[in-house]
Structures are given as structure tokens and as C-alpha cells.
Amino acid sequence: PASPAGSTAAGAEGGTRQHRFHRAVFQKVKEVEPGMLTTYGAIAKALGLPNYSRHVGFALAGCDGAKVPWWRVINSSGKVSWRPKDRIGEGTKANPFKSKQVVLLEKEGHWFSETGTLAGWTRKLHEF
């Protein structure tokens, strides 16, 4: 069978299989409350597609950040996955690059260890 993120065949309702998958991902992410976190794998599992965590990441890469709190999704190691387009700063010693996701998570009260892991992340996981 074709992957949810790879099909271009139009469905009877709701667009392509990829479009429907992306919408389902966005809906799951919207369930994660401020201060809570989830992982790409947890979303995939909640959608009944436990092997599609990478596809969840692809979907979130193209989402509207104003409507979908994508920054609450982290990897299975409790870290922020690197996204070149979300860099903030100049990349200098005085003003180094910082991830937009890190900034948004810090605004919600999260903090990071020296290794870049979210402190206490396993206790802050949303349950689907």
C-alpha cells in the first residue's frame, strides 16, 4: 500500500491521501495543551500508523504555525529536531543561532539541559 504522505490520488472527499494525513496530524497536534509535549511517534501511533513518525515530521514542516502548535512536538530523545528555516539570530558569538522552537517552548515554561534535552520531558507528555 502507498504511504499516507506519498499518494497523490484524490479521495472522494477531503483532497489527496497526503492532504488528509496532514490534516489528521494537525488535529492531533492541536490537542496538545500549552506546557505539554508530544513526540512525532506518539502522533503517528495515535493515528494508527506507528511507523509513520517521519511522515508526521514532514507534515509539520509545512503547517501554519499560527493555527497548529508545532513547537510542542519533539523527537523521541526529548530534543528539538533541527529545522534550518526556524533559526533565529545572526550565527555570531554575540548573537548565536537559536531555534524558534526552543524560544516558543521556553515561553511556555520549558527549559533545556546543557545537552539540549527538555528537562523532565517524559512527565510532560500529552496522552492521546
Side-chain angles (χ1 to χ4, degrees), residues 48-78:
L49 299 163
N51 296 322
Y52 284 89
S53 57
R54 189 171 299 246
H55 294 286
V56 170
F58 294 149
L60 291 176
C63 77
D64 179 356
K67 296 180 182 180
V68 181
W70 58 269
W71 60 91
R72 296 182 187 141
V73 184
I74 58 173
N75 67 32
S76 62
S77 298

Short mmCIF file of all heavy atoms in Angstrom, two decimals, residues 48-78:
data_model
loop_
_atom_site.label_atom_id
_atom_site.label_comp_id
_atom_site.label_asym_id
_atom_site.label_seq_id
_atom_site.Cartn_x
_atom_site.Cartn_y
_atom_site.Cartn_z
N GLY A 48 -2.90 5.60 14.35
CA GLY A 48 -2.97 4.21 13.93
C GLY A 48 -1.89 3.84 12.92
O GLY A 48 -1.98 2.81 12.26
N LEU A 49 -0.86 4.67 12.82
CA LEU A 49 0.23 4.46 11.86
C LEU A 49 1.57 4.57 12.60
O LEU A 49 2.34 5.51 12.39
CB LEU A 49 0.16 5.49 10.73
CG LEU A 49 -1.11 5.46 9.89
CD1 LEU A 49 -1.27 6.75 9.10
CD2 LEU A 49 -1.08 4.26 8.96
N PRO A 50 1.87 3.59 13.47
CA PRO A 50 3.04 3.72 14.34
C PRO A 50 4.38 3.83 13.63
O PRO A 50 5.34 4.30 14.22
CB PRO A 50 2.98 2.45 15.20
CG PRO A 50 2.15 1.49 14.42
CD PRO A 50 1.17 2.33 13.65
N ASN A 51 4.47 3.46 12.38
CA ASN A 51 5.73 3.54 11.65
C ASN A 51 5.86 4.82 10.81
O ASN A 51 6.74 4.91 9.97
CB ASN A 51 5.90 2.31 10.74
CG ASN A 51 6.00 1.05 11.55
OD1 ASN A 51 6.61 1.02 12.61
ND2 ASN A 51 5.39 -0.02 11.06
N TYR A 52 5.00 5.79 11.04
CA TYR A 52 4.97 6.99 10.21
C TYR A 52 5.41 8.26 10.94
O TYR A 52 5.01 9.35 10.57
CB TYR A 52 3.58 7.17 9.61
CG TYR A 52 3.34 6.22 8.47
CD1 TYR A 52 2.81 4.96 8.70
CD2 TYR A 52 3.68 6.56 7.17
CE1 TYR A 52 2.60 4.07 7.66
CE2 TYR A 52 3.48 5.68 6.13
CZ TYR A 52 2.95 4.43 6.38
OH TYR A 52 2.76 3.57 5.36
N SER A 53 6.27 8.12 11.94
CA SER A 53 6.71 9.31 12.68
C SER A 53 7.44 10.28 11.76
O SER A 53 7.30 11.50 11.90
CB SER A 53 7.57 8.92 13.87
OG SER A 53 8.68 8.16 13.46
N ARG A 54 8.21 9.78 10.82
CA ARG A 54 8.92 10.67 9.89
C ARG A 54 7.92 11.45 9.03
O ARG A 54 8.12 12.63 8.73
CB ARG A 54 9.85 9.86 9.00
CG ARG A 54 10.76 10.72 8.17
CD ARG A 54 11.81 9.87 7.49
NE ARG A 54 12.63 9.17 8.47
CZ ARG A 54 13.93 9.40 8.66
NH1 ARG A 54 14.55 10.28 7.92
NH2 ARG A 54 14.60 8.75 9.57
N HIS A 55 6.82 10.81 8.64
CA HIS A 55 5.79 11.49 7.85
C HIS A 55 5.10 12.58 8.68
O HIS A 55 4.69 13.60 8.14
CB HIS A 55 4.77 10.49 7.32
CG HIS A 55 5.36 9.54 6.32
ND1 HIS A 55 5.67 9.91 5.04
CD2 HIS A 55 5.71 8.24 6.44
CE1 HIS A 55 6.18 8.88 4.40
NE2 HIS A 55 6.22 7.85 5.23
N VAL A 56 4.96 12.34 9.99
CA VAL A 56 4.42 13.37 10.87
C VAL A 56 5.32 14.60 10.81
O VAL A 56 4.86 15.73 10.70
CB VAL A 56 4.27 12.85 12.31
CG1 VAL A 56 3.94 13.99 13.27
CG2 VAL A 56 3.22 11.76 12.38
N GLY A 57 6.62 14.38 10.85
CA GLY A 57 7.58 15.49 10.75
C GLY A 57 7.45 16.23 9.43
O GLY A 57 7.49 17.47 9.40
N PHE A 58 7.29 15.49 8.34
CA PHE A 58 7.12 16.13 7.02
C PHE A 58 5.86 17.00 7.01
O PHE A 58 5.85 18.10 6.47
CB PHE A 58 7.03 15.09 5.91
CG PHE A 58 8.28 14.30 5.69
CD1 PHE A 58 8.21 12.99 5.24
CD2 PHE A 58 9.55 14.85 5.91
CE1 PHE A 58 9.36 12.25 5.01
CE2 PHE A 58 10.70 14.11 5.69
CZ PHE A 58 10.60 12.80 5.24
N ALA A 59 4.78 16.47 7.61
CA ALA A 59 3.53 17.23 7.65
C ALA A 59 3.71 18.53 8.44
O ALA A 59 3.29 19.60 8.00
CB ALA A 59 2.41 16.39 8.27
N LEU A 60 4.36 18.44 9.59
CA LEU A 60 4.54 19.62 10.44
C LEU A 60 5.48 20.65 9.83
O LEU A 60 5.36 21.84 10.11
CB LEU A 60 5.04 19.21 11.82
CG LEU A 60 4.02 18.45 12.67
CD1 LEU A 60 4.64 17.99 13.97
CD2 LEU A 60 2.79 19.31 12.92
N ALA A 61 6.37 20.21 8.97
CA ALA A 61 7.28 21.15 8.31
C ALA A 61 6.52 22.14 7.44
O ALA A 61 7.00 23.25 7.21
CB ALA A 61 8.30 20.38 7.47
N GLY A 62 5.34 21.78 7.00
CA GLY A 62 4.56 22.67 6.13
C GLY A 62 3.32 23.24 6.77
O GLY A 62 2.45 23.76 6.07
N CYS A 63 3.21 23.17 8.09
CA CYS A 63 1.97 23.64 8.72
C CYS A 63 1.99 25.14 8.99
O CYS A 63 3.04 25.77 8.99
CB CYS A 63 1.70 22.88 10.01
SG CYS A 63 2.70 23.40 11.41
N ASP A 64 0.82 25.67 9.26
CA ASP A 64 0.65 27.08 9.61
C ASP A 64 0.85 27.21 11.12
O ASP A 64 0.00 26.78 11.90
CB ASP A 64 -0.75 27.53 9.20
CG ASP A 64 -1.03 28.98 9.55
OD1 ASP A 64 -0.18 29.64 10.19
OD2 ASP A 64 -2.11 29.46 9.19
N GLY A 65 1.97 27.77 11.52
CA GLY A 65 2.30 27.89 12.94
C GLY A 65 1.32 28.71 13.75
O GLY A 65 1.24 28.57 14.96
N ALA A 66 0.55 29.56 13.09
CA ALA A 66 -0.43 30.37 13.81
C ALA A 66 -1.63 29.52 14.25
O ALA A 66 -2.31 29.85 15.21
CB ALA A 66 -0.91 31.52 12.94
N LYS A 67 -1.88 28.42 13.54
CA LYS A 67 -3.04 27.59 13.84
C LYS A 67 -2.69 26.25 14.47
O LYS A 67 -3.52 25.63 15.11
CB LYS A 67 -3.83 27.34 12.55
CG LYS A 67 -4.41 28.59 11.94
CD LYS A 67 -5.16 28.28 10.67
CE LYS A 67 -5.70 29.56 10.05
NZ LYS A 67 -6.43 29.29 8.82
N VAL A 68 -1.46 25.79 14.29
CA VAL A 68 -1.03 24.48 14.78
C VAL A 68 0.21 24.67 15.66
O VAL A 68 1.22 25.16 15.18
CB VAL A 68 -0.69 23.54 13.60
CG1 VAL A 68 -0.26 22.17 14.11
CG2 VAL A 68 -1.88 23.40 12.65
N PRO A 69 0.14 24.29 16.93
CA PRO A 69 1.29 24.48 17.83
C PRO A 69 2.38 23.43 17.60
O PRO A 69 2.69 22.61 18.46
CB PRO A 69 0.66 24.38 19.21
CG PRO A 69 -0.50 23.46 19.02
CD PRO A 69 -1.02 23.76 17.64
N TRP A 70 3.01 23.47 16.44
CA TRP A 70 4.01 22.50 16.01
C TRP A 70 5.20 22.41 16.97
O TRP A 70 5.85 21.38 17.06
CB TRP A 70 4.51 22.85 14.61
CG TRP A 70 5.09 24.23 14.53
CD1 TRP A 70 4.44 25.38 14.23
CD2 TRP A 70 6.44 24.61 14.83
NE1 TRP A 70 5.29 26.46 14.30
CE2 TRP A 70 6.53 26.02 14.67
CE3 TRP A 70 7.59 23.91 15.21
CZ2 TRP A 70 7.71 26.72 14.87
CZ3 TRP A 70 8.77 24.62 15.41
CH2 TRP A 70 8.82 26.00 15.25
N TRP A 71 5.49 23.48 17.69
CA TRP A 71 6.66 23.53 18.57
C TRP A 71 6.53 22.58 19.75
O TRP A 71 7.52 22.28 20.41
CB TRP A 71 6.93 24.96 19.04
CG TRP A 71 5.79 25.57 19.80
CD1 TRP A 71 5.58 25.52 21.16
CD2 TRP A 71 4.70 26.31 19.26
NE1 TRP A 71 4.43 26.20 21.49
CE2 TRP A 71 3.87 26.69 20.33
CE3 TRP A 71 4.35 26.69 17.97
CZ2 TRP A 71 2.70 27.43 20.16
CZ3 TRP A 71 3.18 27.43 17.80
CH2 TRP A 71 2.38 27.78 18.89
N ARG A 72 5.33 22.07 20.02
CA ARG A 72 5.13 21.15 21.14
C ARG A 72 5.46 19.70 20.77
O ARG A 72 5.33 18.81 21.59
CB ARG A 72 3.69 21.24 21.64
CG ARG A 72 3.37 22.61 22.20
CD ARG A 72 1.97 22.72 22.73
NE ARG A 72 1.72 24.10 23.10
CZ ARG A 72 0.58 24.72 22.90
NH1 ARG A 72 -0.45 24.09 22.37
NH2 ARG A 72 0.44 25.99 23.25
N VAL A 73 5.90 19.50 19.55
CA VAL A 73 6.27 18.16 19.08
C VAL A 73 7.79 18.04 19.05
O VAL A 73 8.47 18.83 18.40
CB VAL A 73 5.69 17.87 17.68
CG1 VAL A 73 5.99 16.44 17.26
CG2 VAL A 73 4.18 18.13 17.65
N ILE A 74 8.30 17.05 19.79
CA ILE A 74 9.74 16.85 19.89
C ILE A 74 10.09 15.43 19.43
O ILE A 74 9.21 14.61 19.20
CB ILE A 74 10.23 17.08 21.34
CG1 ILE A 74 9.52 16.14 22.32
CG2 ILE A 74 10.01 18.54 21.73
CD1 ILE A 74 10.04 16.18 23.74
N ASN A 75 11.38 15.15 19.35
CA ASN A 75 11.77 13.81 18.93
C ASN A 75 11.76 12.85 20.12
O ASN A 75 11.55 13.25 21.26
CB ASN A 75 13.11 13.83 18.19
CG ASN A 75 14.28 14.21 19.05
OD1 ASN A 75 14.34 13.95 20.24
ND2 ASN A 75 15.26 14.85 18.43
N SER A 76 11.98 11.58 19.84
CA SER A 76 11.89 10.54 20.87
C SER A 76 13.03 10.57 21.89
O SER A 76 13.00 9.81 22.85
CB SER A 76 11.81 9.16 20.21
OG SER A 76 12.99 8.92 19.46
N SER A 77 14.00 11.45 21.68
CA SER A 77 15.09 11.62 22.65
C SER A 77 14.84 12.81 23.57
O SER A 77 15.69 13.15 24.38
CB SER A 77 16.42 11.84 21.90
OG SER A 77 16.72 10.72 21.11
N GLY A 78 13.68 13.46 23.41
CA GLY A 78 13.36 14.61 24.25
C GLY A 78 14.03 15.88 23.79
O GLY A 78 14.21 16.82 24.56
#
